Amino acid sequence: MEKLSRRKFIESTALVTAGVAAIPTVLMAGEKPAVIKFAQIPLPYSANALEPHIDAATMDIHYGKHHAAYVKNVNDAIAEDKITVESEKDFFASVSKLSAKARNNGGGVWNHNFFWQCMAPGSRPAAGKLNEAINGSFGSMDKFKEQFTQAAMTRFGSGWAWLVSDGGKLKIGSTPNQDNPLMDVSELKGTPLLAIDVWEHAYYLKYQNKRNEYVAAWWNVVNWEAVAARLA
Ligand code: MN3
């Protein structure tokens, strides 16, 4: 894992948690604007912490190779394309105007930073307000899981399934490739609360073609406390 400065860590964690950027925009005369730079959050647990549901080899490659590559590629694209947006929020809200390289890799960085924080070892059941919101929107936790699993299973090819809050209303949906609900191009819109990566690289080593087994196992490592915090 690359070492990040404490400031960078706090910044990137805050960005991911809030889903919006908080980059200062007050500039001194002659100072260049703070153009956005994407970074990987430190993995919040060890690579083997989610076993047996998510294996360490998959985590190592997923975090260390795939996710790291998105970071390099989006920052390259920002330089190559002379992108001048100053916040993640603006980056995704105007992503239709950016190159495919910027869109795919920017989404790749954000989605994985979010995904790592959707999981934790020793998952505890959803409680309180979150539980009530899920029951209210979907009937029960079981029905919610069924619908979310359906979204994950029917996303053809590579992509993500999401639970979002759209103006206080909970919705389930999916996005192709590395698109996310913060993007202007996304049909599914809202504040992300929970996501699962259904790219084959997320499960192929352990589950091969059995996406259904991966999704079923993933419920055992969902960090419901993090989901509840995003809803608050
Ligand atoms: Mn992935």
Side-chain angles (χ1 to χ4, degrees):
M1 192 185 299
E2 269 184 50
K3 268 200 174 166
L4 287 170
S5 70
R6 182 173 164 74
R7 184 179 150 77
K8 267 275 165 281
F9 171 71
I10 291 167
E11 269 177 16
S12 55
T13 307
L15 297 186
V16 167
T17 308
V20 294
I23 294 170
T25 52
V26 179
L27 300 172
M28 304 302 285
E31 200 180 345
K32 283 190 179 165
V35 172
I36 187 171
K37 191 162 197 274
F38 282 85
Q40 252 182 317
I41 62 160
L43 200 59
Y45 32 74
S46 61
N48 66 0
L50 306 180
E51 290 197 338
H53 310 294
I54 311 285
D55 60 296
T58 296
M59 282 300 299
D60 278 335
I61 296 169
H62 202 176
Y63 179 84
K65 304 290 181 194
H66 292 279
H67 194 193
Y70 298 129
V71 174
K72 184 193 179 300
N73 291 335
V74 70
N75 289 325
D76 286 353
I78 286 168
E80 289 158 12
D81 302 345
K82 301 184 170 59
I83 293 169
T84 56
V85 297
E86 295 170 27
S87 70
E88 286 189 345
K89 187 169 176 279
D90 291 345
F91 185 95
F92 292 124
S94 60
V95 88
S96 57
K97 300 187 191 111
L98 304 181
S99 64
K101 182 172 175 179
R103 169 178 169 176
N104 291 333
N105 290 286
V109 177
W110 196 95
N111 295 353
H112 288 85
N113 278 339
F114 185 77
F115 182 54
W116 310 135
Q117 298 177 86
C118 285
M119 301 183 288
S123 174
R124 279 185 294 212
K129 242 182 77 180
L130 172 63
N131 209 27
E132 286 165 27
I134 284 177
N135 290 340
S137 299
F138 306 105
S140 68
M141 178 54 82
D142 284 349
K143 289 205 174 101
F144 161 69
K145 286 185 177 177
E146 249 173 61
Q147 272 191 51
F148 190 94
T149 298
Q150 179 75 3
M153 290 304 299
T154 53
R155 168 47 57 192
F156 184 77
S158 299
W160 295 76
W162 303 88
L163 172 68
V164 301
S165 169
D166 186 11
K169 195 175 169 354
L170 297 192
K171 295 196 307 200
I172 291 169
S174 70
T175 55
N177 306 314
Q178 296 294 358
D179 284 359
N180 68 45
L182 304 173
M183 291 184 175
D184 62 351
V185 291
S186 179
E187 255 176 65
L188 178 72
K189 294 262 186 355
T191 304
L193 301 177
L194 179 67
I196 184 171
D197 185 346
V198 294
W199 283 59
E200 281 185 347
H201 69 225
Y203 60 88
Y204 208 86
L205 283 183
K206 183 174 170 73
Y207 297 99
Q208 292 80 47
N209 58 324
K210 293 165 287 210
R211 187 190 286 187
N212 60 326
E213 290 184 11
Y214 157 66
V215 177
W218 177 79
W219 289 115
N220 293 301
V221 294
V222 169
N223 185 350
W224 292 108
E225 281 153 15
V227 180
R230 291 175 195 124
L231 186 65

